[in-house]
Amino acid sequence: MTASAKPPLVVIDGVHKRFLHEGRSVQILEGIDLVIERGEMLSVVGPSGAGKSTLLHILGTLDLPTAGRILYDGQDVTRYSPGRLATFRNYSLGFVFQAHHLLPEFTALENVMMPGMIRGGARAALARRAEALLTEVGLGHRLTHRPGELSGGEQARVALARALVLEPMLVLADEPTGNLDSKTSESIHALFFDLNRRRGTTFLIVTHNNELADSMPRKVSMRDGRIESDLRRFSYSGPFRDGPSEREPTLDPTDPPG
Amino acid sequence: MSRSAPATIALWLGAFACVVGGVAAGVFAPPPYGLGGVALVLFGGGFVHALARRPRGGRRADELRVGWPVLVLCLFALLEAPIVLGIVLPFMTLGVVLEAPHLVPAYALGPVAGVGLLLSILLLIRMGRHATGTHGRVRATLVAVGMLLRSAGFAIGAVVLSLALTDPNALMLGLGLEERLMPVGQMPAIVESFRLVTGAQGTFRLLQVALVLSGAGFAIELFGCITCWFLLPLGFRRAFWAVFDVLALAGFVVVTLLLPIRPAASAPNEITLPSIRLATTTIFLIRVLFRFIPIALDGIEQFGLRALVAARMMRAKKSGFLTAIGALSILAVSFSSCTLTTTLSVMGGFRNDLKQKILGNNAHVVIDRERGTFDGWAPVLATVRGVDQVVAATPYVQGEVMITSSTNLGGAVIRGIDPDTIGDVTDLPRNLRHGQMDYLREPERLLRLRPAEMGAGLLRPLVPADDGPRGSLLDEVADVLDTASPPAGTPRDEDSERIARDIDEFLFDDEEAPARPAAAPAAPDVLPGLIVGQELARTLRLHVGDEVNVVSPLGELGPTGPMPRSRPFRIAGIFYSGMYEFDMKMAYTTLEAAQSFLNVGQAITGIEVKVRDTDRAEPVAIAIASALGERSLRVRAWQEVNRNLFGALQLEKLAMFITLGIAILVASFCIVGTLSLMVQEKRREVGILKAMGTTGEQIVSVFMIQGLMIGSLGAATGLGLGYLSCFIMEHFGIHLNPEVYYIDRLPVHIDPSEFAATGIAAVVVCLLATIYPAILGSRLPPLDALRSS
Ligand SMILES: Nc1ncnc2c1ncn2[C@@H]1O[C@H](COP(=O)(O)OP(=O)(O)OP(=O)(O)O)[C@@H](O)[C@H]1O
Ligand SMILES: [Mg+2]
């Protein structure tokens, strides 16, 4: 009940993004409208260059839209001050970059501890949690390795653990399992679903992996900066701890805005 | 490809520093030429950095091999060896070698330099085997340019110096051989001598050019070598330092066990061994400091996120250029705080010396009238002696007079004193070079003097005499001052005094002898005694026992107005206070003699008081004033009496602090450059941190902490080196020309509070310098920062 009274977790309202490239303006996102509810798991698919990463960056408040609003809990984060944004990112978001972006001077363990240290947590407790999480993604034996000493897939898993460690309400992941073998990918996906079920974490995952995209309850397809389709699987019973039945899927395939 | 803001700033800063340093080097040639070099390096470095960022010819940088630059380098190194070994050293040694062939082994320094060069050539050849890429080429070229400049400077310098050395007037202005070999104490004199000789030969400008060239070349070379060093494989560098540190440790243990820390009292000029010990210890301590840095960084990492990130960034592998200017900024901070503390200590030494002399020759508190004398002073004296903290008090009367000897005359202040109590208040009895205080009390004894007691005021050797530096009069005086013992009456003293007196008489007395009352055959009268300063004695050519006439301009009233009044006195003593003013102007006699001569009856001019704690003389003066309760009497502490003098000193010190503080400021430019580049190189990390929710304030702190670390390391080493140089100056003694400074060696006073102030000032300036780059870093938009990788 309480959940239904609240505004949706994220409302993307008419987001446009233009880049200036050699003096010419290039339109990358052309009016994205999307509503993400608490506890949802959605995949974003689309051909390369469709603007998926760009949308993710804007959602992650790392970049500003040229036009449009991003509402988290009804609050327009595009108007936040830099300080407030930093706190918001630290407390509410977990971000997995397409290029991983680990800190090269820190060990795998320290990289995973970093969001907690930025928040100001005690190091010992953070280290315990980070170690557990790294073991869960299969890196228990690589704790003291620096990113330079890790394989691409291992780096991806460290980046993932870093995004999950503070149990944020929304995880934005840009091809988190792009360069993992299928077995490891599957265990990672299982981790996503597990977290979603246990903690109600919302996941937005950009992927080229059709299997993963199809296994997700909601699948958003993008093409040329627009949303082409937004499909929900009705058979999916939902992970919601407090009453999945109250959360009626409201929309059929969303019309791409014109 | 457009350059980022920090790189542009680094370029502009470098260019600015280059202009300032170049102008400074041109205007005041010798000392700041190193600064000019540093500035040129900054400029060159910024330029090279900017160039290196442009991909050239579409080829990947690391595909290029080092090739020709290393060849050029080796060529220069090979050329330089004969220049150093073949031209400079032989010419420098020429004078000594001709005179004393047995001293040639002392020039083992030459082979040492040769071995050093050989090592550097080996290093370069080894470097040549590694693919070092564009960076390697640029750095090697930099070293080559530096070597070229230095070689040119050396060559010009060698020619100029050899010309100067072969000048018959030059040969180091009469220095002994030992001093020519180890000229530490005589360096100013030698520099002065070269300046004069080269000036006369018209090569002074050329010498300056050579100095600037070799200084700049050396700085560039040093910079290039530091950056090249990091191109060598890590294993090689680790092994090198391991061997170096073991040797340093062994050396430290050996010198600590075997060598003395200060020169032996019997041979204060034998400073070779203590110098070796000091140098070895310094190198060892610096290495310990560097070994300690990782441990310190580990410790710093525990202090929260900001310190952790800052320490890791400092540790991270950086580009060679950044490492080099980082090292350079530490050196610059270190160097400037070292000079600042050293200079302040020397100025403090002068101040202390002056204060000590003032306190020795003056009372701590003086009670007098604004003008005129006062009668009935006995109860006043008793009251003053009863005041708390007062150690002693003595009355005096004084007036301005002329003193005429048989050969000359001079103005003086005659002061009547109480010979029994004056010693409790001032150092006069202890400052007597010749004669005795007792002669004031019993002037008849002046008629039965032994010749040795008469002393000579005339002769004062300019440079240390043959029997070592302690042979000069000044050193004897310093001894007397130090030990506060009466003038030594050793046989040698008597000998030298007798000889001096003989020479004096031979020079001046022959034709004037009839005019000298002392030499007159008639039975001399018993005259009141007079103690004069050494300088006055020198001008008037006075000896103890000589008769002088003292003339007071304000005598009795004659028919045509006041008549000068004259009375003969006999010289009872000659003192040396160390203050020129005193030695030239003061003449002491007994209170009674002065009172009757000045015709003031029983009145005195004032009372001199000594207090327990000289720094608390002012409160005591106030206490005395209130105890006396008499408004017509002026009670002044020594600080007030000498206010102008100390005010000027204080101002001079402040000016010096500001001037040298500017050196720290210039050093902080280096820090601005270092941190700007650090921000540039760490853009991606900043972006990642921001994506994870790091606030701008946290990023600012991260970079400021790095600046703080650079500054603290620089300040710590700088203060250490400053202390070391003060220690060296204090214990080895830098000789000064007593004719100019009226003091024979450089006084040094190490004041911990000044060291602390310098350290704090350096750290604060460094911290301020970090603000701009740090804010620059914090303003990076996270996504732009991430894309930059
Ligand atoms: N800073 C920028 N300046 C100019 N164009 C940009 C910029 N960033 C992205 N683009 C363009 O925007 C388009 C979308 O990029 P985006 O990274 O969002 O694609 P994507 O959907 O994530 O593709 P992929 O699946 O390959 O990761 C691309 O064509 C890219 O060239
Ligand atoms: Mg992408």
Side-chain angles (χ1 to χ4, degrees):
Chain A
M1 290 136 234
T2 48
S4 61
K6 276 190 179 175
L9 180 63
V10 190
V11 175
I12 304 172
D13 181 13
V15 162
H16 290 252
K17 182 68 184 176
R18 264 199 318 272
F19 284 113
L20 268 183
H21 180 68
E22 300 198 333
R24 279 185 309 111
S25 149
V26 192
Q27 190 82 23
I28 304 299
L29 296 180
E30 305 188 24
I32 304 280
D33 292 295
L34 202 64
V35 177
I36 302 169
E37 296 290 344
R38 245 163 268 273
E40 259 191 314
M41 293 195 81
L42 67 158
S43 62
V44 177
V45 296
S48 179
K52 307 182 293 293
S53 296
T54 308
L55 177 63
L56 220 59
H57 290 148
I58 290 174
L59 259 181
T61 71
L62 299 178
D63 207 357
L64 281 174
T66 319
R69 298 186 304 162
I70 308 282
L71 305 176
Y72 277 88
D73 273 338
Q75 302 257 16
D76 187 356
V77 294
T78 58
R79 292 163 189 275
Y80 276 15
S81 70
R84 196 163 166 205
L85 262 186
T87 314
F88 171 74
R89 283 198 285 264
N90 186 250
Y91 276 79
S92 312
L93 299 182
F95 209 103
V96 184
F97 292 98
Q98 198 168 359
H100 316 319
H101 286 318
L102 298 177
L103 291 168
E105 291 104 14
F106 292 84
T107 63
L109 187 71
E110 286 165 339
N111 263 288
V112 178
M113 289 163 65
M114 194 48 76
M117 289 199 280
I118 291 170
R119 192 184 284 189
R123 278 189 204 176
L126 283 169
R128 273 197 302 280
R129 206 192 304 180
E131 191 178 338
L133 201 54
L134 279 170
T135 313
E136 208 164 334
V137 297
L139 286 178
H141 58 305
R142 292 280 182 268
L143 296 180
T144 55
H145 284 230
R146 305 254 164 136
E149 302 158 343
L150 292 172
S151 76
E154 285 170 337
Q155 288 184 30
R157 283 181 276 165
V158 174
L160 199 69
R162 183 177 69 183
L164 299 179
V165 67
L166 291 183
E167 296 174 353
M169 64 176 190
L170 174 64
V171 174
L172 302 164
D174 203 344
E175 298 187 34
T177 54
N179 44 10
L180 292 182
D181 61 287
S182 57
K183 191 160 158 277
T184 321
S185 303
E186 263 158 38
S187 69
I188 298 290
H189 298 156
L191 178 67
F192 290 163
F193 285 106
D194 184 46
L195 269 176
N196 176 254
R197 202 164 36 248
R198 283 203 337 252
R199 307 270 178 200
T201 311
T202 312
F203 281 88
L204 193 158
I205 298 168
V206 173
T207 182
H208 290 296
N209 180 338
N210 282 327
E211 215 175 299
L212 172 64
D214 291 336
S215 71
M216 301 283 270
R218 187 175 172 193
K219 177 173 162 185
V220 176
S221 306
M222 285 182 67
R223 183 177 294 278
D224 296 337
R226 291 167 207 275
I227 291 180
E228 197 181 44
S229 70
D230 185 351
L231 292 167
R232 279 168 208 260
R233 288 203 324 189
F234 288 91
S235 60
Y236 184 66
S237 59
F240 312 112
R241 282 173 300 175
D242 43 359
S245 56
E246 289 169 16
R247 197 163 287 275
E248 293 288 304
T250 45
L251 291 171
D252 279 344
T254 319
D255 293 332
Chain B
M1 162 174 174
S2 68
R3 274 187 293 281
S4 62
T8 318
I9 290 163
L11 271 180
W12 277 108
L13 270 183
F16 175 64
C18 173
V19 172
V20 172
V23 170
V27 175
F28 332 90
Y33 72 88
L35 193 69
V38 171
L40 285 174
V41 165
L42 261 184
F43 179 61
F47 188 59
V48 167
H49 179 70
L51 281 184
R53 286 176 49 80
R54 288 170 189 270
R56 278 194 289 185
R59 274 187 293 176
R60 277 175 51 82
D62 38 328
E63 283 170 10
L64 297 171
R65 291 201 144 250
V66 79
W68 63 267
V70 170
L71 276 182
V72 173
L73 264 187
C74 295
L75 206 67
F76 275 128
L78 286 170
L79 274 179
E80 206 187 357
I83 289 176
V84 174
L85 297 178
I87 303 178
V88 182
L89 285 177
F91 273 112
M92 288 291 281
T93 57
L94 193 65
V96 181
V97 173
L98 291 181
E99 288 171 37
H102 63 280
L103 286 174
V104 173
Y107 287 88
L109 208 63
V112 171
V115 170
L117 274 172
L118 192 73
L119 280 180
S120 55
I121 293 169
L122 286 180
L123 186 72
L124 290 172
I125 291 173
R126 197 183 148 74
M127 265 180 58
R129 290 213 219 108
H130 290 274
T132 44
T134 317
H135 286 89
R137 280 163 58 110
V138 168
R139 291 173 208 178
T141 318
L142 207 64
V143 178
V145 170
M147 274 190 174
L148 181 67
L149 286 180
R150 189 153 63 81
S151 307
F154 269 25
I156 300 175
V159 172
V160 172
L161 289 183
S162 54
L163 278 178
L165 276 173
T166 46
D167 189 302
N169 297 323
L171 281 178
M172 300 203 180
L173 293 183
L175 290 183
L177 281 177
E178 290 78 16
E179 278 151 339
R180 256 184 263 174
L181 280 177
M182 286 299 282
V184 179
Q186 302 294 336
M187 219 47 204
I190 291 176
V191 169
E192 195 55 33
S193 153
F194 275 127
R195 195 194 290 267
L196 287 174
V197 173
T198 50
Q201 290 180 336
T203 49
F204 184 59
R205 283 279 144 201
L206 213 57
L207 185 64
Q208 285 188 327
V209 169
L211 281 178
V212 173
L213 267 187
S214 52
F218 179 71
I220 293 175
E221 199 183 332
L222 185 73
F223 171 82
C225 283
I226 294 175
T227 56
C228 282
W229 173 252
F230 291 98
L231 294 176
L232 293 176
L234 190 64
F236 178 81
R237 284 185 272 152
R238 288 230 172 103
F240 176 86
W241 284 124
V243 172
F244 186 93
D245 287 351
V246 168
L247 288 180
L249 178 64
F252 174 71
V253 171
V254 168
V255 298
T256 308
L257 291 180
L258 295 185
L259 300 184
I261 193 156
R262 59 192 61 178
S266 55
N269 264 22
E270 279 301 317
I271 57 172
T272 318
L273 296 183
S275 309
I276 291 174
R277 172 163 175 184
L278 272 177
T280 315
T281 311
T282 312
I283 291 173
F284 175 72
L285 288 181
I286 288 177
R287 280 307 300 166
V288 168
L289 183 69
F290 274 83
R291 288 269 166 187
F292 179 71
I293 286 176
I295 301 169
L297 284 177
D298 279 344
I300 288 170
E301 284 186 1
Q302 303 307 316
F303 289 97
L305 172 83
R306 300 165 177 86
L308 173 67
V309 177
R312 286 292 165 89
M313 281 193 185
M314 289 292 278
R315 278 180 172 187
K317 200 173 147 32
K318 297 170 280 280
S319 66
F321 181 72
L322 182 54
T323 316
I325 76 162
L328 206 68
S329 28
I330 292 175
L331 279 183
V333 175
S334 166
F335 180 73
S336 43
S337 36
C338 170
T339 15
L340 184 53
T341 46
T342 313
T343 314
L344 288 182
S345 298
V346 171
M347 296 188 72
F350 273 114
R351 183 181 193 276
N352 255 25
D353 183 69
L354 187 70
K355 180 176 158 187
Q356 195 188 330
K357 283 173 177 169
I358 285 178
L359 287 179
N361 296 301
N362 292 285
H364 303 160
V365 176
V366 177
I367 304 160
D368 60 2
R369 279 232 164 98
E370 196 86 46
R371 58 166 45 111
T373 54
F374 64 101
D375 263 318
W377 44 270
V380 175
L381 191 61
T383 318
V384 170
R385 283 186 175 141
V387 173
D388 187 33
Q389 296 287 320
V390 169
V391 178
T394 181
Y396 74 95
V397 58
Q398 88 179 24
E400 306 222 352
V401 295
M402 299 283 285
I403 299 180
T404 61
S405 72
S406 53
T407 54
N408 212 338
L409 83 171
V413 171
I414 193 170
R415 185 178 271 219
I417 51 164
D418 176 6
D420 297 323
T421 54
I422 186 73
D424 301 335
V425 177
T426 74
D427 284 341
L428 179 64
R430 288 171 288 279
N431 285 346
L432 278 186
R433 285 279 300 124
H434 305 283
Q436 295 177 22
M437 288 303 286
D438 290 344
Y439 295 162
L440 283 187
R441 263 165 291 196
E442 303 152 30
E444 61 282 358
R445 283 175 60 190
L446 282 170
L447 303 176
R448 291 171 270 123
L449 286 178
R450 288 178 297 124
E453 279 181 295
M454 297 181 177
L458 181 67
L459 291 183
R460 193 144 61 117
L462 283 184
V463 289
D466 281 345
D467 55 352
R470 308 302 283 183
S472 81
L473 283 183
L474 279 173
D475 281 310
E476 286 174 28
V477 171
D479 281 349
V480 171
L481 282 174
D482 285 346
T483 56
S485 63
T490 61
R492 201 172 75 192
D493 265 320
E494 289 177 11
D495 279 353
S496 61
E497 282 176 12
R498 198 189 60 241
I499 293 166
R501 185 171 166 80
D502 286 349
I503 295 172
D504 224 12
E505 299 201 335
F506 171 77
L507 284 176
F508 301 106
D509 287 0
D510 274 355
E511 64 276 7
E512 294 161 15
R516 285 173 61 107
D525 302 326
V526 173
L527 299 172
L530 191 68
I531 296 176
V532 295
Q534 179 181 281
E535 297 300 321
L536 190 62
R538 241 153 60 100
T539 3
L540 301 185
R541 296 187 184 122
L542 297 175
H543 304 116
V544 176
D546 286 356
E547 195 182 314
V548 290
N549 253 320
V550 178
V551 184
S552 164
L554 300 172
E556 296 102 26
L557 235 78
T560 57
M563 290 266 292
R565 167 193 174 82
S566 156
R567 173 185 286 191
F569 282 79
R570 198 177 292 284
I571 300 300
I574 294 171
F575 68 88
Y576 170 77
S577 68
M579 282 179 79
Y580 186 80
E581 282 293 295
F582 266 75
D583 292 347
M584 194 62 205
K585 282 272 173 285
M586 294 307 287
Y588 295 93
T589 183
T590 56
L591 198 59
E592 298 75 30
Q595 278 170 339
S596 82
F597 175 63
L598 295 171
N599 206 14
V600 292
Q602 289 298 305
I604 58 168
T605 310
I607 295 172
E608 291 186 309
V609 181
K610 182 183 180 122
V611 302
R612 192 153 289 133
D613 180 0
T614 53
D615 290 329
R616 299 187 37 79
E618 278 168 323
V620 178
I622 292 167
I624 293 174
S626 65
L628 291 177
E630 191 164 346
R631 299 185 134 259
S632 66
L633 288 179
R634 196 161 62 145
V635 183
R636 293 177 302 158
W638 63 274
Q639 288 101 330
E640 196 184 335
V641 176
N642 299 289
R643 176 145 292 155
N644 291 343
L645 191 58
F646 282 98
L649 276 182
Q650 206 60 40
L651 193 69
E652 203 180 356
K653 203 163 182 177
L654 186 69
M656 199 50 87
F657 192 84
I658 290 172
T659 316
L660 290 171
I662 290 174
I664 296 187
L665 212 63
V666 171
S668 73
F669 287 170
C670 286
I671 293 185
V672 175
T674 308
L675 282 183
S676 301
L677 281 168
M678 182 68 98
V679 167
Q680 168 93 357
E681 284 191 9
K682 297 291 168 201
R683 281 168 74 93
R684 198 173 78 95
E685 280 79 349
V686 171
I688 296 170
L689 285 169
K690 287 194 135 185
M692 288 190 292
T694 313
T695 59
E697 173 271 322
Q698 283 173 316
I699 303 280
V700 168
S701 316
V702 163
F703 285 108
M704 285 185 71
I705 290 172
Q706 293 183 52
L708 191 67
M709 290 195 270
I710 293 177
S712 328
L713 187 60
T717 48
L719 294 189
L721 290 177
Y723 180 78
L724 188 76
S725 46
C726 289
F727 182 87
I728 291 175
M729 285 194 286
E730 213 177 2
H731 291 277
F732 290 2
I734 307 293
H735 291 272
L736 294 177
N737 184 350
E739 288 297 305
V740 178
Y741 296 98
Y742 214 70
I743 180 173
D744 66 329
R745 54 172 57 202
L746 202 63
V748 179
H749 173 70
I750 297 174
D751 183 350
S753 69
E754 278 169 7
F755 272 67
T758 308
I760 291 170
V763 170
V764 166
V765 167
C766 293
L767 210 56
L768 292 180
T770 60
I771 290 178
Y772 175 69
I775 288 179
L776 214 65
S778 75
R779 292 258 172 90
L780 287 174
L783 208 57
D784 290 2
L786 284 173
R787 282 233 178 78
S788 66
S789 60

